[in-house]
Amino acid sequence: MMAALPYMQFYVADYLADTAHLSTEEHGAYLLLIFNYWQTGKPIPKNRLHRIARMPDERWSDAESSLREFFRDNGREWVHERIEADLAAAREAQAQRAAAGKASAEARKAAKRDLLKRERNGRSTGVQRDESGPSTNKEQNRTEQNKEKNNGSADADPARENSPSKKFTDDDFEKFWKFCREHWFGRVGNKSQAKEAFNKLTPGEHDLREILRLTRQECEYRRRTKATEGFCENMKHVVRWIKHEGWNDTRERLESGPALSVIQGSDPTKVNAPYRGAMPRPDRPDRQPTGTEGGQ
């Protein structure tokens, strides 16, 4: 059985139209029954109906005839057709998210294995020289070039004098930190620890503009998910986002499906609302008022 969602679909206008004949006490009993149904995810045994409705036996006898019309009696349980349909849709959506998460995790593991394999192959190759040529080992070539440069050789490459920095600057971090303070979904955490982690990134391997774009995607995705579904887990502190390079997970989700969409405009750091297809809403059965289905 799936874990209960923190919300259920409830259409107020339809509920009021279908339950206009109920008394105040019967309204309370009916709501308690459908809430219990959703939370347990299964039909209600008939011997527990009055307990769930919190009514004594003699009072339940009067209310039972009015509430029976909202359910289908299979002899042992009361079945609510609309809630059954909503539960099936929720289970399907949950299974799809679980499958996507599993596929993403497997892809990350495969990529990591490939990277480790390439690194091991690179270390085992060693220095190889042709009889008439220089070393084919890149590291040794760089070492020899650095030696020439340090010795003031005329053959040293002058372009290396203006090579880009191998570390992000303090201004880069301040820009990143200011961005997180304005957009982070949750607590940003300790600034000095975040800066220490940020300084370990290298511009050659990480593009600051891309980091900001994907970080914005994640923040906005969670903010819109909370607005749509009523709940979304906060992001971890910024320092963990940097250490684990969380933007890579966001990129994988973008590449694997339409969970996030980018606005085509001049600012690539802005995002649209996440794509979320509407849950199926089957037609209401004739002469079977349920109180929770949407209007046609």
Side-chain angles (χ1 to χ4, degrees):
M1 184 182 69
M2 73 172 189
L5 294 176
Y7 65 93
M8 67 177 290
Q9 295 185 5
F10 189 87
Y11 301 95
V12 177
D14 291 331
Y15 175 86
L16 293 177
D18 289 341
T19 60
H21 60 290
L22 298 183
S23 67
T24 301
E25 186 177 46
E26 290 168 342
H27 272 294
Y30 179 46
L31 289 173
L32 287 172
L33 289 174
I34 62 176
F35 290 164
N36 177 270
Y37 200 118
W38 180 264
Q39 193 158 25
T40 61
K42 57 186 179 181
I44 305 173
K46 294 175 66 174
N47 61 359
R48 298 189 65 241
L49 289 170
H50 70 285
R51 296 179 183 177
I52 294 172
R54 301 178 188 176
M55 300 176 71
D57 292 343
E58 62 275 9
R59 302 284 289 279
W60 171 251
S61 298
D62 296 333
E64 182 178 8
S65 58
S66 297
L67 299 180
R68 183 189 300 274
E69 63 181 294
F70 298 105
F71 297 85
R72 175 171 56 83
D73 188 344
N74 65 11
R76 295 175 295 102
E77 303 162 318
W78 275 16
V79 181
H80 198 292
E81 300 292 356
R82 172 57 190 172
I83 294 181
E84 284 292 330
D86 285 348
L87 286 170
R91 292 187 184 105
E92 181 179 359
Q94 188 178 59
Q96 291 176 352
R97 288 194 296 269
K102 184 178 180 180
S104 177
E106 291 297 330
R108 287 197 300 271
K109 290 180 181 178
K112 187 174 182 180
R113 285 195 299 268
D114 290 343
L115 177 61
L116 292 174
K117 184 177 180 180
R118 288 196 298 269
E119 290 177 349
R120 286 196 297 268
N121 290 341
R123 287 195 296 268
S124 63
T125 300
V127 178
Q128 301 174 357
R129 288 181 179 274
D130 296 331
E131 292 182 359
S132 59
S135 167
T136 59
N137 183 279
K138 295 181 180 180
E139 290 298 327
Q140 181 158 335
N141 286 339
R142 283 198 291 267
T143 301
E144 292 173 353
Q145 291 169 356
N146 288 336
K147 287 182 179 178
E148 291 176 355
K149 179 179 177 180
N150 293 335
N151 292 334
S153 170
D155 295 332
D157 185 0
R160 292 183 177 275
E161 295 291 340
N162 298 319
S163 62
S165 170
K166 293 184 178 180
K167 296 292 183 181
F168 284 113
T169 65
D170 289 344
D171 288 341
D172 291 333
F173 172 73
E174 290 299 331
K175 179 180 180 180
F176 173 75
W177 183 254
K178 181 176 182 294
F179 178 88
C180 292
R181 289 292 299 271
E182 293 176 353
H183 301 286
W184 200 253
F185 187 79
R187 298 180 59 185
V188 294
N190 184 276
K191 180 178 180 179
S192 61
Q193 293 178 353
K195 183 175 183 180
E196 181 180 354
F198 185 85
N199 287 338
K200 295 179 181 179
L201 302 176
T202 55
E205 298 177 1
H206 304 89
D207 180 76
L208 180 58
R209 182 176 175 82
E210 182 71 358
I211 292 175
L212 292 176
R213 184 183 74 86
L214 293 170
T215 302
R216 176 67 175 266
Q217 291 271 17
E218 185 68 27
C219 295
E220 290 298 322
Y221 172 69
R222 295 189 183 224
R223 188 168 288 111
R224 293 180 186 276
T225 298
K226 181 178 180 180
T228 303
E229 300 186 356
F231 172 79
C232 186
E233 182 181 2
N234 285 343
M235 297 169 66
K236 304 300 182 183
H237 292 176
V238 175
V239 63
R240 292 196 59 180
W241 177 256
I242 298 172
K243 286 183 177 180
H244 296 281
E245 299 180 12
W247 49 86
N248 289 330
D249 293 337
T250 301
R251 181 188 292 109
E252 288 179 6
R253 288 205 306 272
L254 285 167
E255 294 173 350
S256 63
L260 300 171
S261 57
V262 181
I263 290 179
Q264 299 299 325
S266 58
D267 187 353
T269 64
K270 293 183 178 180
V271 297
N272 275 329
Y275 172 84
R276 293 185 180 276
M279 293 180 68
R281 292 167 56 183
D283 294 337
R284 289 187 291 171
D286 294 337
R287 301 177 182 177
Q288 183 69 22
T290 63
T292 61
E293 67 270 21
Q296 302 301 315

